[in-house]
Amino acid sequence: MQAKKRYLILLSAGACVLLLSFLGGLQLPAARSRQDRSRTGHRPDQPWPHFSDPLHPFVPWDHTDTEEYNVHVSPRQKRDVNTSVYKGRRCRMDSCFDFSVCQRTGFKVYVYPQQKGDKISESYQNILATIEGSRFYTSDPGQACLFVLSLDTLDRDQLSPQYVHNLKTKVQNLPLWNDGRNHLIFNLYSGTWPDYTEDLGFDIGQAMLAKASISTENFRPNFDVSIPLFSKEHPRTGGERGFLRYNSIPPFRKYMLVFKGKRYLTGIGSDTRNALYHVHNAEDVVLLTTCKHGKDWQKHKDARCDKDNAEYDKYDYKEMLHNSTFCLVPRGRRLGSFRFLEALQAACVPVMLSNGWELPFSEIIDWNTAAVIGDERLLLQIPTTVRSIHQDKILSLRQQTQFLWEAYFSSVEKIVLTTLEIIQDRVLEHSSRSSLMWNSHPGGLFALPQYSGYLGDFPFFYATLGIKPHPKFTAVIHAVSPLVSQSQPILKLLVAVAKSQYCAQIIVLWNCDKALPAKHRWPATSVPVIVIEGENKVMSSRFLPYETIVTDAVLSLDEDTVLSTTEVDFAFTVWQSFPERIVGYPARSHFWDSNKERWGYTSKWTNDYSMVLTGAAIYHRYYHYLYTNYLPSSLKNMVDQLANCEDILMNFLVSAVTKLPPIKVTQKKQYKETMMGQVRNTRSTPVNTCSSPSSRASRWADPDHFAQRQTCMNKFASWFGAMPLVHSQMRLDPVLFKDQVSILRKKYRDIERL
Amino acid sequence: MYTSGKYSSRGPALIPRMKTKHRIYYITLFSVVLLGLIATGMFQFWPHSIESTADWTLDKRSVHDAPLIRLPVSSPIPERGDLSCRMHTCFDVYRCGYNPKNRIKVYIYPLQRFVDELGVPISSTGLSREYNDLLSAISDSDFYTDDITRACLFIPSIDVLNQNSLRIRETAQALAMLPRWDKGMNHLLFNMLPGGPPDYNTALDVPRDRALLAGGGFSTWTYRQGYDVSIPVYSPLSADVEQPEKQPGPRRYFILSSQTAIHREYRAELERLKEENGEALLLLDKCSNLSQGAASARKRCYKGQVYDYPQILQESSFCVVLRGARLGQAALSDVLQAGCVPVILADSYILPFSEVLDWKRASVVIPEEKLSEMYTILKSIPHRQVEEMQRQAHWFWEAYFSSMKAIGLTTLQIINDRIYPYAARTYEQWNNPPVVKWSSVNSPLFLPLIPPRAPGFTAVVLTYDRVESLFRVITEISKVPSLAKLLVVWNNQNKSPPEGEKKFKCPECTAIDGLSLDQTHMVERSECINKFASVFGTMPLKVVEHRADPVLYKDDFPEKLKSFPNIGSL
């Protein structure tokens, strides 16, 4: 009995233990299966496991700095090895370019003299003329950092009539060739049917290529320059402006995507154009091809040709170009095509279908801001892709096409200068442009990095950087008359300007042959007055970038300008809102004289103006630098010889940069007559013959003076390639100006007080 | 004893009478079983917290659990890597497909331990801490997919960050064994320390077919522009050392050199500079008296004086980053972190993330040959530019250098931008530090255009019910020659707009005309301004003191000759 009971109890206890282990067992597989799931990676949230082990660092502590470097070859030797190994297709600036010449003389470009009998195409003539007219040009090969051939290398297609024969020997015989070191070779076409290789048909040695349609495979980064394909008709200077006149919002045009061009039935580059019909919908996506090109197209034509040709003739290319949001730019036989520049100018956002094309000036241009880089392999996705682009983005892409077109592409001159500036940036590496300077208004050709590496020192980037210009100005008074009496206008002007709360300092530029007046002759002022003796006493010296100018703003004054402190204060507050423009008082205008077929200059009271004279104007000190370093000496010399027109030239320059008119501000009424008079006698004598003010015969009375200004206008316009001046009908007045409120409430009340 | 005797005297009971020692035995047994049952039950039905802690410990697995793969000697080796590879030739874009989010999908191979036939591992360190961090960061990111069939980019879990710890041939064989290797197509390898003695190649020596390489230390001759990604060499100090951010501005030293493995030729050159320019330069080296180890990496010495590294970097405006045997230097990361402007002397070096970062705004690059001119070159840089560079340098570190996560995700974003270029991040997004992003103004109409007059303008008139005044406005404005269209917005739900030329009398209009004088109206508008400013986070309105008038406005001049004679006459 006792034993039986004992067994019973043992049995039930055993059952309980079993039950327990069973329940536990249920639990275990559940956990295991979860673990398995995470191992096979089907739980999306935590797929890479947390390892509990202490893992080693990827580099042991005692190897933090590179190990045992000192036992290895000297870095100098290593550099020499690189220089000797990396040649030809592996050329880089480090291995195929001699920097030492450029350091001695700066970035100067030499053009070989043209030999009689060499035929040179018009395009290449334009390239050479641009270089010879640029500030980089030197006629002394000993001074040169870069050499450009006078042999036409633009068209290296053997079948082309422009093809130059025997280039190989001609190049090898050049005395300064030096295996092409520091040479730049321009090329638009290379190779020929059927394979269109990128070989130029002669040994370029260590020369750099500025080449159109270059492929990423052949492009040597930071050595070659990819240039756009341009036509014979591409203008040498100036160039047409972009077609965009105003922004429309929403930015969609009649067509979404268009293309009209040849179709190659077979051979290199034919695939993409042959497939375009898949995407064409005859509504908003209009992609047209024709088989009609070449002599015997009929022989090779395929089943679609007739239908395609018929559709092709229905549409006008120009109409499509101007009315489409996007323009397809598929490769042709070669990678680049004329379509690219055409679309860019027409503000039709290019959609690139040219795999492996190193886009023009890719080293400095961020093409994603102005084009859609498509992939030939994904042609069928292109319509979906362009439709997915938000309208804000389209608006921005479109404006950027116009900016880039006008900054770098609209003329041969711009293309060539951009090429040279890119190379200069490489040569003077620590004073080169940042990407922002290349890709935003006004572009790299107008933003010179030698002026400053700091973006805030330029007038163009305040908004982008979220900063403001320096809150004071430096006045520069151009003195041409000797100081004979204490009532001379220059002394009154000095006192009035010095009283301005925004005045940091006054510079008197002494451009008078008479000796500097003694210090005590100048009135005592609360701001420092610095007298600088003009070096050559020439007109242009008033725009030299003097280091003593420490403020962003310059108030430029003639010695006989009459201005009150209030006027100065007001003009400066206006300038702070428009730091890239000229803000000032005496306004003038230009007009097209259709009888004489030339530009005319007028000082009459008109309803609009396009210049504000620098006898009383505020502008950014960067324009001093640009005037001195950007403009060619031919124009500056003209100004100096005439002792006239420097103010017109400054207006041309600033408007060419900003593409905007200057700003005229209000003037005290009582001076109107004097100012009007001043039009006639601002500077009565040539500066270098400094006479006493009393004996000043009005130079404006001299009819030559006015005629000179007309001549200047036309000379300047021809150098700029177009008329950069822009008219304005607006004058900026103080907010309560002439309003029917108490004069005491007006901050700038002196301006309207008689 | 007594108690038990009492029980036994009570006749038949449920609990059988038994010996006391047995009874104790059974009671103990039952309570154990009962407790066991309760515990099991609780374990079963307890809410998730216990489960997840259990899970946590389970998930914290060991790298030694990873499956072991033995590589046969004859296993295939990939080709060396094609220098002409570009996205359009060596990358299969169809795997990425069209994607409304414009984001690539990235797959990470599960961890495996590769050994050769003798059982020797292919890498001396195995999975490193940094590579593990990188892969976890990617797997936590939006790029990650666990579905190998939908992936656009594949990342092997084979750690090749440091070539020194690898057996080249076997690592290559291991890569080729990956199930989707397919000649390395769409595979991405991360390597920070390429090459090895004596000549230190500038790209990873492991043969890798068409795989993309995110490498630290590329030269212009090994970097496949637009295909490879140049990445920084991660500095482990970043994670270890907390440094308060130092504001840009002038600092105690002008130039600091803190690297320890500088070639003697260059060190001699630096010493010459130090002699010429004295205190402005601080030239540090290893401390000879300190024992090797982690602590010594944090100290630098100059003539027996000990300095804390990397803290000392914050005391200098410029910091020299010279090439070593390799072009990429971890010191660059330390220098940027300190907001010290790096002066990079490493000819032909492709700077980290140079495809998207504008290094000209954050660094000074000087050819090695010009080391002796360094002082003059740096002195010519304006102060304000130095300050901007300091700020920019620190921002680059914070955003793109500070962790393996930052490095990994930046690399993926760059590749993503290539595949969906129309949705790529902009220059400003990559390069502007947050403070600039906040304060900068980027007008959507940025092109300087003066619109022509021809299209005219559209007048939009908002009206409530002051019909008389509305008609007055319409009559006046329709006289304007440039008016192209007139749009009236009727803003009154209770009344329907008047039709045609019908005129309404509006007695209350005069009362409402005085609206703007109403005190509460002004208060309301002030409140609006405050509300808007707080939503914008800043006051975007700017105050100016000028107003636009016609050129001859109120001038003493015959009115009939003025373009806009009537302005201001009302």
Side-chain angles (χ1 to χ4, degrees), chain A residues 194-247:
Chain A
D195 53 353
Y196 297 90
T197 60
E198 292 181 27
D199 180 47
L200 298 197
F202 69 97
D203 182 13
I204 61 164
Q206 300 175 38
M208 290 184 265
L209 273 178
K211 184 173 169 9
S213 300
I214 195 163
S215 70
T216 47
E217 278 93 344
N218 290 315
F219 181 75
R220 297 167 294 181
N222 290 304
F223 189 69
D224 293 330
V225 180
S226 175
I227 59 169
L229 185 64
F230 59 88
S231 68
K232 283 202 294 284
E233 292 77 34
H234 208 59
R236 189 172 84 76
T237 57
E240 273 185 77
R241 295 204 58 181
F243 293 162
L244 188 69
R245 287 283 160 268
Y246 55 95
N247 283 300

Side-chain angles (χ1 to χ4, degrees), chain A residues 402-418:
Chain A
Q402 300 298 281
F403 159 66
L404 291 174
W405 163 260
E406 288 180 13
Y408 306 117
F409 297 105
S410 62
S411 65
V412 175
E413 183 182 45
K414 281 182 183 144
I415 295 172
V416 171
L417 289 180
T418 307

Side-chain angles (χ1 to χ4, degrees), chain A residues 6 90 733 735 747-748, chain B residues 26 220-221 260 545 547 549:
Chain A
R6 213 179 293 154
R90 316 212 60 199
D733 295 335
V735 171
K747 182 169 174 187
Y748 299 102
Chain B
Y26 286 121
T220 173
W221 292 291
T260 53
E545 297 177 339
R547 148 191 109 183
D549 287 322

Side-chain angles (χ1 to χ4, degrees), chain A residues 577, chain B residues 541-545:
Chain A
S577 296
Chain B
L541 303 181
K542 302 270 184 290
V543 175
V544 293
E545 297 177 339

Side-chain angles (χ1 to χ4, degrees), chain B residues 316-462:
Chain B
S316 182
S317 297
F318 291 98
C319 291
V320 181
V321 182
L322 253 171
R323 63 167 301 156
R326 296 192 178 88
L327 290 169
Q329 296 287 310
L332 176 60
S333 183
D334 299 335
V335 165
L336 293 174
Q337 180 179 16
C340 182
V341 179
V343 183
I344 299 164
L345 295 111
D347 291 358
S348 79
Y349 177 42
I350 304 291
L351 290 169
F353 303 129
S354 57
E355 190 170 333
V356 293
L357 300 188
D358 190 349
W359 280 99
K360 280 178 190 154
R361 288 174 65 189
S363 69
V364 183
V365 177
I366 298 178
E368 290 172 45
E369 209 178 24
K370 287 203 188 168
L371 176 57
S372 58
E373 293 164 45
M374 175 169 68
Y375 187 83
T376 334
I377 293 172
L378 298 181
K379 269 289 171 200
S380 71
I381 302 174
H383 290 296
R384 286 194 290 175
Q385 188 184 356
V386 177
E387 284 176 20
E388 204 211 33
M389 286 171 137
Q390 287 172 338
R391 185 180 64 186
Q392 200 76 6
H394 183 79
W395 150 250
F396 276 5
W397 177 81
E398 202 174 271
Y400 310 113
F401 281 65
S402 55
S403 62
M404 288 304 289
K405 177 181 178 179
I407 296 171
L409 297 186
T410 306
T411 309
L412 294 185
Q413 185 63 47
I414 289 175
I415 296 173
N416 197 82
D417 281 3
R418 292 181 193 157
I419 292 167
Y420 307 107
Y422 44 88
R425 293 182 63 178
T426 62
Y427 172 89
E428 286 76 18
Q429 286 170 328
W430 282 111
N431 289 286
N432 282 355
V435 49
V436 176
K437 279 181 185 137
W438 271 107
S439 56
S440 77
V441 183
N442 288 306
S443 163
L445 303 176
F446 55 83
L447 192 72
L449 273 182
I450 297 180
R453 289 189 199 177
F457 68 93
T458 302
V460 180
V461 187
L462 177 73

Side-chain angles (χ1 to χ4, degrees), chain A residues 6 9 27 48 53 56 58 65 74 79 90 92 377 399 457 464 669 731 733 735 747-748, chain B residues 26 43 51 62 91 129-130 132 220-221 260 265-266 384 440-441 444 545 547 549 555 561 563:
Chain A
R6 213 179 293 154
I9 288 161
Q27 167 96 16
W48 185 258
D53 330 53
H56 293 286
F58 81 110
D65 262 307
S74 119
R79 289 204 305 261
R90 316 212 60 199
R92 295 292 187 277
R377 292 173 292 180
Q399 292 177 79
D457 282 340
T464 319
K669 227 10 39 74
R731 185 181 81 193
D733 295 335
V735 171
K747 182 169 174 187
Y748 299 102
Chain B
Y26 286 121
F43 199 68
E51 205 177 328
S62 164
F91 192 87
R129 192 166 64 202
E130 286 79 10
N132 181 43
T220 173
W221 292 291
T260 53
E265 281 180 17
Y266 286 160
R384 286 194 290 175
S440 77
V441 183
E545 297 177 339
R547 148 191 109 183
D549 287 322
D555 276 352
L561 293 179
S563 296

Side-chain angles (χ1 to χ4, degrees), chain A residues 603-608 669 672-673 676 731 738, chain B residues 550-566:
Chain A
S603 59
K604 290 200 180 103
W605 279 31
T606 49
N607 283 291
D608 53 18
K669 227 10 39 74
K672 274 288 172 187
E673 289 316 305
M676 274 295 284
R731 185 181 81 193
K738 298 244 168 154
Chain B
V551 175
L552 300 175
Y553 178 72
K554 298 237 165 161
D555 276 352
D556 186 12
F557 195 73
E559 288 294 313
K560 61 180 175 182
L561 293 179
K562 292 185 182 177
S563 296
F564 308 101
N566 294 324

Side-chain angles (χ1 to χ4, degrees), chain A residues 479-552:
Chain A
V480 293
S481 321
L483 213 53
V484 287
S485 110
Q486 287 300 315
S487 63
Q488 248 169 271
I490 188 170
L491 299 179
K492 281 187 194 158
L493 181 64
L494 225 144
V495 172
V497 170
K499 273 197 209 145
S500 164
Q501 52 176 315
Y502 305 112
C503 183
Q505 56 181 359
I506 298 174
I507 294 173
V508 178
L509 177 62
W510 193 252
N511 257 355
C512 170
D513 281 345
K514 300 275 157 51
L516 280 173
K519 262 201 169 154
H520 70 269
R521 304 280 308 274
W522 301 106
T525 53
S526 54
V527 295
V529 176
I530 303 156
V531 184
I532 298 178
E533 178 130 36
E535 225 168 87
N536 298 315
K537 317 261 166 167
V538 290
M539 226 9 149
S540 295
S541 66
R542 72 183 299 181
F543 295 140
L544 282 175
Y546 295 104
E547 273 182 30
T548 33
I549 304 177
V550 289
T551 57
D552 290 332

